[in-house]
Amino acid sequence: EAQVTQNPRYLITVTGKKLTVTCSQNMNHEYMSWYRQDPGLGLRQIYYSMNVEVTDKGDVPEGYKVSRKEKRNFPLILESPSPNQTSLYFCASSPNPGHYGYTFGSGTRLTVV
Amino acid sequence: QQQVKQSPQSLIVQKGGISIINCAYENTAFDYFPWYQQFPGKGPALLIAIRPDVSEKKEGRFTISFNKSAKQFSLHIMDSQPGDSATYFCAASHYYNTDKLIFGTGTRLQVFP
């Protein structure tokens, strides 16, 4: 089944404790992206990647890091999480977002206390 | 600054009625306008999309109407069903930067029997 898989689905952590949210896609898509969803703000792009070793900042990149060492994986790293990063995070992939849109994962609900 | 403005924030429709969600944009460089549907606990899923060279696109009960001069586009759900109850997001991307898909703030639709 073609899909984008994120792990974990739920995570509660403490301020400052580094964490990684993994994302993997099995569709051989070039493009991958991370979004965060907050009430009243919709979906905001954090980082995106056009291919292996090519990444760029989205609209809200502060406090996040990404890497794209393999085509299928695009982990999101929070080196020192803060409470304002409590959110619902989505990973997405696409062969070309401007023509086909993104396929989204099921989300990771992160709470930073 | 919200590049894609979506309204209403919430919508209640009776079964069989028409649901209408509106979006407006400023940037004339946008040339791809998808709509996403999100059920609770799931990631957004591409529903229907349009390019500005056509004024309307229909897929089953879902229709996008596009007004290029007014820089507005809308989603119409005909014969709305309880199973359509979800959050709907409009989005847009630039023709020269297709990696970035910019979302509206979402509309929560509830269809009552």
Side-chain angles (χ1 to χ4, degrees):
Chain A
E1 180 189 354
Q3 59 185 357
V4 177
T5 303
Q6 295 178 230
N7 281 297
R9 288 295 308 273
Y10 301 93
L11 180 59
I12 301 174
T13 191
V14 296
T15 299
K17 186 177 181 181
K18 182 178 178 180
L19 67 91
T20 299
V21 183
T22 64
C23 174
S24 180
Q25 51 97 2
N26 62 1
M27 296 168 280
N28 201 36
H29 287 167
E30 279 73 30
Y31 294 81
M32 296 187 75
S33 185
W34 277 101
Y35 284 85
R36 60 179 286 175
Q37 182 176 2
D38 301 288
L41 297 176
L43 291 144
R44 294 179 293 167
Q45 193 174 43
I46 303 170
Y47 269 94
Y48 58 97
S49 169
M50 296 73 82
N51 214 322
V52 176
E53 303 291 1
V54 183
T55 63
D56 206 350
K57 296 177 181 178
D59 296 316
V60 288
E62 295 77 21
Y64 305 94
K65 285 177 59 177
V66 293
S67 67
R68 188 94 180 270
K69 293 183 170 61
E70 304 167 281
K71 195 173 188 178
R72 63 183 292 125
N73 296 323
F74 191 44
L76 179 69
I77 303 158
L78 285 72
E79 298 232 328
S80 183
S82 62
N84 65 11
Q85 293 178 297
T86 292
S87 187
L88 179 58
Y89 291 87
F90 288 101
C91 180
S93 74
S94 176
N96 185 333
H99 287 84
Y100 304 105
Y102 275 112
T103 298
F104 283 82
S106 297
T108 295
R109 184 165 292 282
L110 172 65
T111 302
V112 183
V113 298
Chain B
Q1 182 183 2
Q2 192 68 37
Q3 295 191 54
V4 180
K5 294 183 179 179
Q6 183 171 348
S7 64
Q9 191 172 0
S10 64
L11 183 62
I12 299 173
V13 174
Q14 202 161 10
K15 179 182 175 181
I18 303 173
S19 304
I20 302 174
I21 305 171
N22 300 300
C23 283
Y25 64 97
E26 288 295 325
N27 193 329
T28 55
F30 287 149
D31 80 333
Y32 174 70
F33 303 90
W35 284 88
Y36 282 80
Q37 179 187 56
Q38 184 183 30
F39 293 107
K42 303 290 187 184
L46 182 63
L47 185 63
I48 186 173
I50 197 168
R51 294 202 175 275
D53 52 346
V54 296
S55 60
E56 186 176 282
K57 183 173 182 180
K58 184 176 181 179
E59 289 184 5
R61 296 183 294 108
F62 300 90
T63 300
I64 301 179
S65 297
F66 187 83
N67 186 329
K68 190 173 181 178
S69 60
K71 291 185 282 188
Q72 295 174 347
F73 59 110
S74 59
L75 176 69
H76 296 238
I77 306 174
M78 312 300 287
D79 187 25
S80 299
Q81 299 296 312
D84 297 330
S85 297
T87 299
Y88 292 82
F89 293 95
C90 62
S93 73
H94 302 83
Y95 70 81
Y96 57 82
N97 192 2
T98 59
D99 316 358
K100 289 178 65 70
L101 198 56
I102 299 164
F103 285 82
T105 51
T107 297
R108 186 184 176 201
L109 171 65
Q110 295 174 275
V111 182
F112 286 97

